[in-house]
Amino acid sequence: MKRAFVIGHPIAHSRSPLIHGYWLERYGIAGSYEAIDVAPSELGKFFGRLKAGEFAGGNVTIPHKEAVYALVDDLDPLAEEIGAVNTLVLKGDQVEGFNTDYMGFLGNLDQNAPGWDQGLDEVIVLGAGGAARAVLVALKARDVGKIHLLNRTLDKAEALALELEGRIECAGLSEFSTRAANARLVVNTSAVGMKGTRFDDLGLKRLPKDAIVTDIVYTPLVTPLLADAQALGLKIVDGLGMLLHQAVPGFAAWFGKTPEVTPELRQRIEATL
Ligand code: ATR
């Protein structure tokens, strides 16, 4: 029986066992996916178990994403470009590191806003932390034109733009309204929206009428940003789809079946939020 895991510390909050458990059952695969609490001091030992063949692979979450980056034997080029690993796959006795947030972001938009990237000239990305990296690399892969990277701390946006290259222009959040006129996609990658937080008025009404607004925050499912966009009649895509889609490549690699993100799966996870 193939076994997979999600490791973190703490780990109890993770929805990943529910997602993978649903697929294992649905496809009748005799496998397991378990949440394992691994303290930072135990990570090396856990890698020993992985390399000895106990697992086919697994997911990695806070606080291990950076430590794991240095421990893997091989890095997928996209994970290297993004600079973070969230998925491990055992190949022989070697551990390869992937970043599937990239696929999660694209899969979510492709499913819920088909054609979103066609002729997309300008995008606004809010936030320049760890989560922005996968989003920026994904947008570059779809050849979007100019990316306006807006962040509370301008220095951090500039450092990230320099590192990732491409047509990325940086500014503070207060410049949203002056950059909005041609932005047909807005992506929030920052933590704003969680725990009752919200942006000061960004000026969403300056966006084109056919703009799409998406958020990677999924607790709450409809963040204040998405609610404001919806009230203006703009199309919104919530962040739960990214969580579901980022799980697809891992499942495929460990269990040999590319799973589907269905409305039923979404409902199951939504009910736990
Ligand atoms: P993650 O890895 O989850 O992206 P992070 O690296 O701490 O987390 O980044 C969080 C992002 O949310 C940053 O862009 C941060 O802005 P700063 O670079 O200025 O810190 C942004 N952020 C968090 N709280 C914010 C707030 N109250 N207002 C605006 N931006 C905020």
Side-chain angles (χ1 to χ4, degrees), residues 63-75:
H64 301 312
K65 284 193 184 183
E66 270 132 54
V68 151
Y69 191 82
L71 283 172
V72 294
D73 301 299
D74 211 357
L75 262 182

Side-chain angles (χ1 to χ4, degrees), residues 14 40 45 51 63 65 67 96 127-128 131 149 166 172 174 197 204 228 241 255 258:
S14 174
K45 207 163 105 194
K51 292 182 87 152
K65 284 193 184 183
E96 186 166 3
L149 181 59
S174 61
T197 57
L204 295 179
D228 289 349
F255 300 115
T258 300

Side-chain angles (χ1 to χ4, degrees), residues 105-264:
F105 174 73
L106 294 176
N108 188 27
L109 283 177
D110 288 343
Q111 185 173 48
N112 296 299
W116 65 275
D117 55 348
Q118 278 164 31
L120 184 58
D121 288 330
E122 294 188 37
V123 179
I124 294 180
V125 174
L126 302 167
R133 306 175 74 101
V135 168
L136 291 168
V137 171
L139 288 171
K140 277 172 53 184
R142 290 294 174 92
D143 282 331
V144 306
K146 192 196 300 181
I147 298 172
H148 302 272
L149 181 59
L150 311 188
N151 197 41
R152 176 178 61 181
T153 311
L154 184 57
D155 288 0
K156 272 174 74 178
E158 281 171 346
L160 188 56
L162 203 63
E163 195 188 320
L164 293 179
E165 298 171 345
R167 286 181 66 197
I168 305 177
E169 288 185 10
C170 302
L173 294 169
S174 61
E175 279 195 42
F176 186 99
S177 59
T178 59
R179 305 213 172 212
N182 298 311
R184 284 180 34 251
L185 178 69
V186 177
V187 186
N188 176 44
T189 72
S190 81
V192 179
M194 289 169 93
K195 301 184 180 121
T197 57
R198 60 179 301 143
F199 290 105
D200 295 336
D201 185 25
L202 290 170
L204 295 179
K205 57 182 181 301
R206 300 282 183 91
L207 290 167
K209 293 285 165 269
D210 61 347
I212 300 164
V213 180
T214 186
D215 207 320
I216 71 164
V217 172
Y218 59 89
T219 51
L221 202 51
V222 180
T223 58
L225 174 71
L226 294 182
D228 289 349
Q230 201 165 34
L232 288 168
L234 301 174
K235 178 166 177 62
I236 64 167
V237 178
D238 66 53
L240 180 56
M242 179 165 167
L243 176 76
L244 302 176
H245 281 276
Q246 65 78 32
V248 169
F251 190 93
W254 311 316
F255 300 115
K257 162 88 192 164
T258 300
E260 237 190 302
V261 175
T262 57
E264 190 192 2

Side-chain angles (χ1 to χ4, degrees), residues 259-271:
E260 237 190 302
V261 175
T262 57
E264 190 192 2
L265 169 63
R266 198 189 140 93
Q267 276 160 20
R268 286 233 192 149
I269 306 304
E270 208 177 313

